[in-house]
């Protein structure tokens, strides 16, 4: 049985969502075919990258996990670099860059970009040394998330022929650093989660070998949660970067203009600190079954994030026959809605309010969108087809 390594910035059962969840799903898909080993850090918190988990090797669900020490926690120095990055990002020239294909909008030297990525964290010298010394023991090494030092420096420490990259790329200022373009060209193949992500990657990095693989979505249907009132729902990290601040503002304004029993239900980790309000219900972390039941019982699932490379929770809600309302600033989410016919798009408060009114008042249309949403997920994101495509890419590695 051949060995396959999966490199990801964090790995623990307490970490849900994002590239970490996709890496764990990938490991479980492959464990009956390969000896799978996850190479990761001892960090739990993505803001500080402090070492919290024991270093060394452990087994979980038939998968080996090797954790390596993070050398430094994220410091004030990185936040100053990040502020410099945001100030350097020339938004005024972004549209021109998209039309010309020249994306050097930030104007940093590669040395400064390297410095930014290293101090962003989690940087682990021990992990990188292990990769360099042991890479030939693996048939393939799958790197998750373009953003972090585990991927950026790790790819340069291994043979190109072994490297498969799931970039989970978002349209965000960091994506325009040229260092990531050179990193991506070191991968044997790019494995994209969606067509929209692939389009963005091609515009930033040029055309490279790769294909859309995606992620398997649970399609088991659950019974509806009954909360005693109609509700719309968001699930995931409750954070300003996920658009949650605007979601709260829009929803409360909508309720003021359209009084009803409708509430907004949140599940997940509250980083934003939700306001105390009778129309907002925060349920915190819930079990997978309860999450799916809440999704199934919601009138609509709302995804306000402008930065998504796939959006698992949006597709999970669609699989429960729940129409979605998504932020039109995110091309991936727009693709899901346009290709499925299973939801609506908003770009400001006016379109948010109009969509809620339309969906809440037109039950026959709501029912039609519910069926389309589920069919889209079932037909595209089944477990067996995604596993088959992933194994094909691993077997092609030398």
């Amino acid at each position: 049985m051949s060995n396959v390594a999966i490199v990801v910035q964090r790995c623990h059962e307490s970490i849900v969502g994002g590239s970490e969840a996709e890496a764990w799903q990938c490991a479980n898909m492959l464990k009956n075919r390969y000896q799978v080993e996850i190479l990761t850090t001892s960090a739990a918190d993505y803001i500080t990258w402090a070492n919290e988990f024991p270093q060394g090797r452990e087994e979980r669900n038939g998968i080996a996990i090797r954790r390596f020490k993070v050398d430094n926690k994220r410091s004030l120095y990185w936040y100053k670099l990040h502020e410099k990055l945001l100030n350097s990002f020339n938004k005024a020239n972004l549209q021109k860059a998209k039309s010309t294909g020249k994306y050097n909008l930030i104007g940093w030297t590669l040395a400064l970009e390297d410095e930014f990525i290293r101090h962003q964290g989690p940087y682990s010298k021990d992990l990188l040394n292990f990769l360099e010394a042991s890479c030939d023991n693996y048939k393939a090494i799958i790197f998750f998330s373009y953003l972090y030092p585990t991927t950026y420096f790790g790819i340069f420490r291994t043979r190109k022929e072994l490297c498969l990259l799931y970039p989970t790329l978002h349209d965000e200022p960091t994506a325009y650093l040229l260092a990531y373009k050179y990193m991506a060209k070191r991968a044997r193949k790019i494995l994209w989660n969606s067509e929209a992500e692939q389009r963005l990657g091609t515009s930033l990095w040029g055309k490279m070998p790769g294909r859309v693989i995606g992620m398997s979505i649970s399609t088991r249907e659950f019974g509806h949660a009954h909360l005693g009132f109609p509700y719309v729902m968001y699930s995931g990290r409750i954070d300003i970067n996920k658009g949650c601040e605007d979601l709260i503002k829009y929803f409360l304004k909508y309720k003021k203009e359209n009084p009803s029993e409708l509430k907004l239900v949140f599940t997940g980790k509250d980083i934003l600190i939700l306001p105390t309000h009778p129309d907002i219900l925060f349920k915190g972390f819930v079990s997978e079954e309860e999450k799916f039941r809440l999704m199934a019982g919601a009138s609509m699932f709302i995804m306000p994030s402008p930065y998504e490379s796939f959006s698992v929770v949006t597709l999970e809600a669609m699989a429960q026959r729940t129409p979605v309302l998504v932020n039109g600033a995110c091309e991936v989410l727009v693709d899901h809605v346009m290709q499925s016919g299973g939801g609506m798009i908003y770009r400001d408060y006016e379109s948010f309010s109009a969509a809620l009114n339309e969906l809440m008042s037109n039950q026959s249309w709501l029912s039609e969108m519910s069926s389309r949403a589920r069919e889209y997920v079932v037909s595209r994101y089944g477990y067996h087809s995604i596993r088959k495509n992933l194994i094909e890419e691993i077997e092609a590695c030398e």
Side-chain angles (χ1 to χ4, degrees):
M1 192 179 280
S2 300
N3 297 323
V4 169
I6 294 173
V7 180
V8 67
Q9 61 274 9
R10 304 180 296 166
C11 181
H12 192 262
E13 56 263 34
S14 64
I15 299 166
V16 296
S19 56
E20 294 92 346
E22 187 167 11
W24 183 246
Q25 183 191 89
C26 177
N28 279 278
M29 276 186 169
L30 298 175
K31 68 181 182 183
N32 293 330
R33 175 72 179 254
Y34 305 101
Q35 293 282 353
V36 178
E37 193 165 59
I38 293 179
L39 309 180
T40 188
T41 72
S42 296
D45 184 79
Y46 74 96
I47 296 175
T48 67
W49 299 118
N51 290 298
E52 295 187 37
F53 302 130
Q55 295 155 41
R57 189 180 185 278
E58 70 164 288
E59 290 263 345
R60 180 176 150 216
N61 293 358
I63 297 165
I65 303 172
R66 285 186 190 268
R67 292 193 181 88
F68 298 87
K69 180 183 71 174
V70 177
D71 293 328
N72 297 295
K73 290 196 293 185
R74 186 179 284 176
S75 67
L76 179 62
Y77 174 61
W78 179 80
Y79 284 102
K80 289 188 176 297
L81 285 176
H82 187 243
E83 183 180 6
K84 179 179 174 67
L85 170 69
L86 296 180
N87 290 336
S88 300
F89 186 65
N90 193 336
K91 291 183 179 178
N93 289 334
L94 181 55
Q95 204 57 44
K96 180 180 178 182
K98 286 184 176 180
S99 64
T100 62
K102 296 178 180 178
Y103 281 91
N104 191 10
L105 301 182
I106 298 171
W108 284 11
T109 65
L110 283 174
L112 183 55
E113 293 186 2
D114 272 14
E115 182 85 345
F116 174 88
I117 297 166
R118 181 188 303 271
H119 287 274
Q120 174 180 234
Y123 184 84
S124 172
K125 182 173 62 177
D126 290 346
L127 189 156
L128 298 174
N129 288 341
F130 179 86
L131 265 176
E132 186 170 29
S134 307
C135 65
D136 287 328
N137 295 333
Y138 301 104
K139 182 171 184 60
I141 302 173
I142 306 172
F143 291 88
F144 274 89
S145 200
Y146 84 97
L147 192 60
Y148 299 108
T150 45
T151 293
Y152 176 75
F153 293 104
I155 281 182
F156 285 106
R157 300 286 283 269
T158 60
R159 287 198 294 113
K160 177 183 176 76
E161 295 78 14
L162 303 176
C163 295
L164 299 173
L165 170 62
Y166 267 102
T168 63
L169 182 66
H170 306 146
D171 192 354
E172 56 192 345
T174 46
Y176 293 82
L177 293 173
L178 289 178
Y180 289 124
K181 176 178 181 177
Y182 301 126
M183 174 205 71
K185 290 184 179 297
R186 281 275 305 165
R188 184 182 186 280
K189 266 197 176 179
I190 311 292
L191 308 182
W192 307 99
N193 275 326
S194 67
E195 290 88 352
E197 184 196 10
Q198 184 178 36
R199 290 196 298 271
L200 173 63
T202 300
S203 71
L204 291 174
W205 299 338
K207 191 166 184 178
M208 289 175 290
R211 65 192 288 193
V212 176
I213 298 286
M215 181 177 176
S216 174
I217 302 298
S218 172
T219 56
R220 176 188 165 193
E221 290 192 77
F222 287 78
H224 291 197
H226 298 287
L227 301 185
F229 48 80
Y231 63 93
V232 295
M233 178 183 176
Y234 168 85
S235 181
R237 195 171 74 243
I238 303 164
D239 190 343
I240 190 170
N241 294 321
K242 287 287 187 179
C244 294
E245 189 173 56
D246 282 344
L247 171 58
I248 295 163
K249 180 173 68 176
Y250 287 179
F251 182 77
L252 293 180
K253 183 177 180 181
Y254 174 81
K255 283 299 304 288
K256 189 173 182 180
E257 294 177 355
N258 302 272
S260 72
E261 294 183 342
L262 185 70
K263 296 186 188 298
L264 172 57
V265 173
F266 285 92
T267 72
K269 184 174 183 179
D270 183 10
I271 296 169
L272 187 63
I273 310 302
L274 288 166
T276 301
H277 193 282
D279 288 329
I280 294 177
L281 176 61
F282 174 54
K283 296 185 73 69
F285 282 111
V286 299
S287 68
E288 284 289 284
E289 180 173 349
E290 186 177 357
K291 179 184 74 174
F292 289 132
R293 286 173 57 81
L294 285 165
M295 286 175 169
S299 300
M300 188 185 319
F301 183 88
I302 304 178
M303 176 46 72
S305 172
Y307 306 123
E308 296 293 313
S309 67
F310 189 56
S311 192
V312 171
V313 288
T314 300
L315 295 169
E316 287 176 338
M318 293 171 75
Q320 297 304 316
R321 300 184 185 275
T322 303
V324 296
L325 177 59
V326 305
N327 188 340
C330 178
E331 195 173 347
V332 168
L333 295 173
V334 170
D335 272 6
H336 286 324
V337 167
M338 297 300 290
Q339 292 170 11
S340 68
M344 296 186 72
I345 298 160
Y346 72 92
R347 299 183 184 277
D348 49 28
Y349 172 71
E350 287 69 29
S351 52
F352 178 90
S353 175
L356 273 182
N357 281 331
E358 185 68 33
L359 287 166
M360 301 305 291
S361 64
N362 192 334
Q363 289 302 308
S364 62
W365 191 32
L366 197 67
S367 177
E368 187 177 331
M369 275 198 283
S370 300
S371 298
R372 289 176 177 173
R374 177 167 174 79
E375 174 57 29
Y376 174 76
V377 177
V378 170
S379 64
R380 286 184 174 230
Y381 301 111
Y383 174 89
H384 295 291
S385 62
I386 289 177
R387 180 177 184 270
K388 172 180 171 291
N389 292 339
L390 184 55
I391 287 173
E392 284 177 1
E393 296 305 329
I394 292 170
E395 288 301 306
C397 290
E398 300 172 1

